[in-house]
Amino acid sequence: MRRLLPPLPLVPPLLLAGCSGVQTPLDPYGSEAERIAHLTWVLFVGGTAIFGLVMALLAAALVAPGWMRGLLGSRRFVIGGGIVFPAVTLAALLLYSLGTSRALVTPRGDAPLRIEVIGRQYWWEVRYPDLGEGAVTANEIRLPRGREVELHLSSADVIHSLWIPNLHGKMDMIPGRVNRQRFTAERTGVLRGQCTEFCGLQHSLMAFWAVVQEPEEFEAWVARQREPVPPPEGEVAARGMRVFGEAGCGACHAVRGTEWQARLGPDLSRIGSRLSLAAGVLDNHRGTLAGWIAGAQDIKRGNSMPAYGRALDGGELLALATWLEGLR
């Protein structure tokens, strides 16, 4: 019979692998996530200890001498172990978890950086209203290290839920309502976030990246985002810009500094600088850009992006992808 489980020596490393990485609450990048990680370990360790105790008492009830089994079945032990102990333990855990919850919603400063995140089927619109007109991106949240931020979370269609495990807990995004979540990222790095509320066919492919940068790098990124896009460099990129307009892409997408300012789809002003395409589905480079434009419905069926594989020939796709890749 073929072995289905890993060899026993590999089990501890596999379990420990889930304690670090770009999408785990057990590798906190800020104090909020650290509180959640502490609560998680308290529940893990406490639950394991209680489970071990119950199993030991069960074994004793089955194989222990008669005097011990009689003690386990006594009225005093049943009341103490079956009523008093669970009540005290659960009350202590409740008080500890309520204290953690209170700390998570208590603001640390009066002037956090506001970031608007709008959930859409199946992508994320991200705006920075405190940083001026034009600070807009998609499927990527840039964060300055050491500065408190406040996410303003809303939805344009159905209920979504945002979760960046290394930074905070999940928060629902409800149509017609704005929920707020505050945290401070205290380490730089690239973290993965995910929609954690079923929102339709491509819910599992609705991810994003949270990029924590040093403050000066973040300010440089913001300044770059706010600038109008430069003229295309080279004949191929210029052709790509013409294809963008002729194919009607501007009916859904905005490109800063051009006539195209629609908001139905992601803002493409600096798409070349983003880490991924299609909400974390593809790495971002010229080849994947062309592939996504040509066959968006084959890659992520049910999203709002039409497939242009039959409308544009290979040269047009390459030119369009070249121009978009240059928008950095």
Side-chain angles (χ1 to χ4, degrees):
M1 182 178 179
R2 187 173 62 179
R3 181 189 294 270
L4 298 179
L5 297 176
L8 187 59
L10 295 180
V11 172
L14 290 175
L15 293 176
L16 291 175
C19 299
S20 63
V22 298
Q23 193 176 17
T24 171
L26 302 180
D27 185 15
Y29 272 60
S31 57
E32 292 79 12
E34 190 171 359
R35 292 181 183 274
I36 295 174
H38 285 168
L39 177 60
T40 301
W41 283 117
V42 167
L43 295 177
F44 279 172
V45 174
T48 301
I50 293 173
F51 177 78
L53 175 62
V54 171
M55 291 298 100
L57 292 174
L58 176 62
L62 293 175
V63 301
W67 66 269
M68 184 176 291
R69 292 200 300 268
L71 177 63
L72 294 176
S74 66
R75 180 183 180 87
R76 178 178 298 179
F77 188 87
V78 170
I79 293 176
I83 299 177
V84 177
F85 176 73
V88 171
T89 302
L90 292 176
L93 289 175
L94 175 62
L95 291 174
Y96 177 71
S97 62
L98 288 176
T100 299
S101 299
R102 179 179 177 82
L104 290 175
V105 298
T106 301
R108 295 197 295 175
D110 296 329
L113 172 64
R114 290 184 302 153
I115 303 176
E116 296 177 352
V117 183
I118 304 169
R120 303 178 184 271
Q121 292 177 306
Y122 302 94
W123 61 282
W124 311 85
E125 182 178 1
V126 183
R127 294 180 168 267
Y128 296 77
D130 291 344
L131 303 179
E133 187 68 26
V136 182
T137 186
N139 302 319
E140 194 169 291
I141 304 176
R142 297 279 176 145
L143 303 166
R145 183 186 64 81
R147 181 176 178 182
E148 186 177 30
V149 302
E150 183 177 74
L151 301 185
H152 289 211
L153 306 175
S154 61
S155 172
D157 36 54
V158 300
I159 296 178
H160 300 279
S161 187
L162 179 142
W163 189 30
I164 313 174
N166 301 76
L167 291 174
H168 211 298
K170 68 184 288 283
M171 178 70 73
D172 286 346
M173 309 167 76
I174 302 171
R177 177 173 177 173
V178 177
N179 288 334
R180 292 170 171 81
Q181 184 181 77
R182 286 195 181 194
F183 58 81
T184 303
E186 297 167 356
R187 295 163 52 191
T188 59
V190 179
L191 308 173
R192 190 176 187 273
Q194 179 72 41
C195 179
T196 53
E197 185 73 27
F198 181 74
C199 57
L201 180 65
Q202 296 298 339
H203 160 69
S204 61
L205 297 181
M206 187 174 169
F208 62 93
W209 293 103
V211 183
V212 185
Q213 300 175 295
E214 293 294 348
E216 56 274 13
E217 294 177 356
F218 175 76
E219 293 298 332
W221 176 83
V222 170
R224 186 67 171 168
Q225 291 293 311
R226 295 179 59 187
E227 294 176 356
V229 299
E233 297 183 0
E235 183 178 342
V236 175
R239 182 189 181 194
M241 186 175 181
R242 291 194 301 271
V243 170
F244 186 92
E246 294 167 357
C249 303
C252 294
H253 300 282
V255 180
R256 199 165 306 111
T258 70
E259 61 183 294
W260 305 305
Q261 297 299 320
R263 286 190 58 181
L264 294 178
D267 188 299
L268 302 182
S269 301
R270 300 292 174 184
I271 187 174
S273 65
R274 296 172 193 166
L275 299 178
S276 69
L277 299 173
V281 175
L282 301 170
D283 291 335
N284 187 14
H285 52 76
R286 188 182 311 178
T288 52
L289 276 165
W292 172 251
I293 296 168
Q297 293 302 317
D298 295 322
I299 297 171
K300 194 173 179 178
R301 186 174 300 277
N303 79 94
S304 298
M305 172 75 178
Y308 283 87
R310 295 184 178 180
L312 302 177
D313 61 33
E316 291 172 323
L317 285 171
L318 178 60
L320 180 53
T322 300
W323 178 62
L324 292 175
E325 185 186 37
L327 301 180
R328 297 180 178 272

